[in-house]
Amino acid sequence: KPLRHGDVVHVRGELASVEDKSSGRLASYRLFGFVDGELAIEGTTGFFVRAATRGEKKAAGTSDSAPGEPDLVVEQHVDSDQASRYAVASGDDNPIHTSDETAKSAGLPGVILHGLCTMALAQRDLVDRLAGGDPTRLKRLGVRFAKPVFPGETLTLQAWTDGEDVRFETRNSSGATVISNGVARIVD
């Protein structure tokens, strides 16, 4: 159900799985959010730890190729201060999003945008363009964060619709996929 400003969400989570991948370990969790004791949100999330493997490595996942010409294309410029603004708004002030020095010490070329911010930009455009601006029509959203996004880049969302189901991806200025395996369900 839609969350409203001021709702207090109590979240319960449980570990669903731990998988070794070719470049690290993925821990997946199921999440349940309750408002006034009533289930309001169900979701899954994964936390990827680079190069933290044990045992045999599995092959890296691949995404399916795009199914022809997209039904929707939207470009979005990422402002140079977007990561800092999102850190304040979200409360996620991990320094890889706010400090070039820290990001570089982590092996990145500089500050990266929060994955959830990148997802929120795609979600906003899907809701605005395919759900008439009504977020209550969005019933499912899932993505795979494929590559980091850097401030100053221009992102391109491409979406393919099939009834209520939408497949989408987001590419950066160089054409690399930064959000892959995007799925959304938009209902009437």
Side-chain angles (χ1 to χ4, degrees):
K1 73 178 197 176
L3 297 177
R4 305 285 181 219
H5 180 73
D7 281 350
V8 176
V9 181
H10 298 275
V11 178
R12 188 188 90 209
E14 55 189 42
L15 180 63
S17 66
V18 176
E19 298 176 63
D20 286 330
K21 300 290 187 178
S22 63
S23 59
R25 184 173 295 147
L26 175 65
S28 298
Y29 297 86
R30 286 188 290 271
L31 302 172
F32 307 91
F34 298 86
V35 175
D36 297 328
E38 183 181 335
L39 182 64
I41 300 169
E42 291 182 61
T44 58
T45 191
F47 295 94
F48 187 77
V49 180
R50 292 186 297 171
T53 61
R54 60 182 162 89
E56 184 178 322
K57 294 182 180 182
K58 296 181 182 178
T62 59
S63 63
D64 295 332
S65 59
E69 289 298 312
D71 298 310
L72 175 68
V73 177
V74 180
E75 286 192 354
Q76 166 70 49
H77 179 74
V78 178
D79 293 337
S80 60
D81 67 341
Q82 183 69 54
S84 296
R85 288 187 288 131
Y86 189 82
V88 170
S90 68
D92 180 355
D93 57 1
N94 181 329
I96 64 170
H97 304 299
T98 58
S99 164
D100 272 331
E101 182 179 312
T102 301
K104 288 176 181 176
S105 73
L108 299 163
V111 165
I112 63 171
L113 190 63
H114 302 70
L116 290 177
C117 184
T118 305
M119 184 180 75
L121 295 172
Q123 176 182 321
R124 178 204 59 203
D125 291 336
L126 292 170
V127 167
D128 285 351
R129 305 291 178 93
L130 301 176
D134 182 358
T136 64
R137 292 182 54 202
L138 180 65
K139 297 300 178 187
R140 178 177 183 223
L141 184 72
V143 303
R144 178 180 180 272
F145 300 117
K147 290 201 179 299
V149 171
F150 299 95
E153 290 186 310
T154 296
L155 303 178
T156 303
L157 169 72
Q158 296 180 313
W160 298 264
T161 59
D162 183 12
E164 294 179 340
D165 295 323
V166 180
R167 286 185 55 195
F168 67 94
E169 65 184 23
T170 300
R171 295 181 179 265
N172 66 15
S173 302
S174 302
T177 302
V178 296
I179 288 182
S180 64
N181 301 339
V183 294
R185 175 156 296 144
I186 298 173
V187 299
D188 289 327

